[in-house]
Amino acid sequence: MTTTREKSQRRGVVMTIAAVLVFMLIVVAGFIHRIGQPRLMSDGELQANGLYLMDPPRDFGDFALTDHRGEPFTPASFEGQWTLVFFGFTHCPDVCPTTMAFLDQFVGQLEGTEAKDTEVVMISVDPARDTVEKLATYVPYFNEDFTGVTGEFLDLFRFATALNTPFRKVPGQGEDYQVDHSANVVLINPRGHYHGFFKAPLDLAKMKVTYRAARYIWDH
């Protein structure tokens, strides 16, 4: 028969094991929580992970464009949220659809306020073919909340140049031409200023860490 002493010893062992397991769960949960939290990163760390910040952020001036919903797109369109800007075009065979799909995946993994105040905008570098109607079909295919923007060529070119992302039509290709453009993603802060850019090629894990760090630095 099991004695009272043996029962007490077994109870003690069970309680000890339970306490150890609870402690391990708390440690693991704390570790996972810290990983998910933004942290202060130096410029060197940010750049090593692909994000280059402007110091200070730049006001890139006035512009008047049109979004894929037929609404005016002006500097005020950037205010009040963080915006990821990609310069591309609907006839782009590889970089543009790949980047747009990447950005859809990126915003899908954001949480809380990050998800609520993060916008994605694709600025066309091919206004001759990228009409409002064309963008209205192309951009929502990747994400219904994304915004496509077009306008007059010179207005788009000045805007892109102000964000260090110039583009040019590849000559000698007839009507089925391509456009050389940057694959970087520009970061605009809630004041509507040029905050920095994510250098291509983009990496999902690194971009999440640096984006959160940029927001953390801004808030503190």
Side-chain angles (χ1 to χ4, degrees):
M1 295 181 61
T2 304
T3 65
T4 301
R5 182 178 179 182
E6 289 174 332
K7 290 181 179 179
S8 178
Q9 288 176 335
R10 289 180 181 177
R11 236 184 351 259
V13 170
V14 170
M15 291 180 66
T16 299
I17 293 174
V20 170
L21 289 174
V22 169
F23 175 75
M24 291 176 64
L25 286 172
I26 292 174
V27 171
V28 171
F31 178 72
I32 293 174
H33 177 73
R34 285 196 299 274
I35 290 178
Q37 294 302 302
R39 66 182 182 87
L40 185 64
M41 298 175 71
S42 67
D43 287 344
E45 288 179 299
L46 290 170
Q47 292 175 14
N49 286 282
L51 175 59
Y52 292 75
L53 297 182
M54 301 294 108
D55 186 19
R58 301 176 188 171
D59 181 351
F60 44 80
D62 197 17
F63 60 87
L65 304 171
T66 304
D67 70 21
H68 77 268
R69 304 173 186 92
E71 299 295 326
F73 193 87
T74 66
S77 303
F78 286 127
E79 296 175 2
Q81 74 280 323
W82 291 88
T83 307
L84 302 173
V85 177
F86 173 66
F87 288 83
F89 62 113
T90 61
H91 285 73
C92 179
D94 41 34
V95 174
C96 301
T98 299
T99 303
M100 293 292 283
F102 173 91
L103 291 173
D104 174 58
Q105 185 181 11
F106 175 77
V107 298
Q109 293 192 17
L110 298 180
E111 301 174 356
T113 55
E114 293 174 353
K116 292 179 181 178
D117 67 358
T118 300
E119 302 289 337
V120 173
V121 174
M122 189 190 93
I123 308 289
S124 175
V125 296
D126 182 21
R129 293 182 295 188
D130 287 346
T131 62
V132 169
E133 294 75 20
K134 183 69 175 180
L135 290 176
T137 300
Y138 183 84
V139 174
Y141 171 81
F142 297 96
N143 189 305
E144 292 185 353
D145 293 327
F146 287 5
T147 298
V149 174
T150 189
E152 296 296 326
F153 176 83
L154 286 178
D155 294 333
L156 290 167
F157 188 79
R158 291 191 191 100
F159 181 55
T161 302
L163 294 177
N164 297 328
T165 53
F167 57 88
R168 71 178 187 90
K169 178 180 176 181
V170 178
Q173 295 185 333
E175 294 299 318
D176 191 26
Y177 60 86
Q178 294 297 309
V179 181
D180 283 340
H181 63 95
S182 171
N184 295 340
V185 172
V186 174
L187 180 63
I188 307 296
N189 66 37
R191 290 182 182 171
H193 293 167
Y194 177 22
H195 203 77
F197 66 92
F198 297 92
K199 185 176 178 59
L202 305 174
D203 178 276
L204 187 61
K206 290 180 179 179
M207 189 166 173
K208 284 175 61 178
V209 170
T210 53
Y211 178 57
R212 288 173 172 168
R215 292 173 58 111
Y216 182 81
I217 293 169
W218 169 267
D219 290 335
H220 293 78

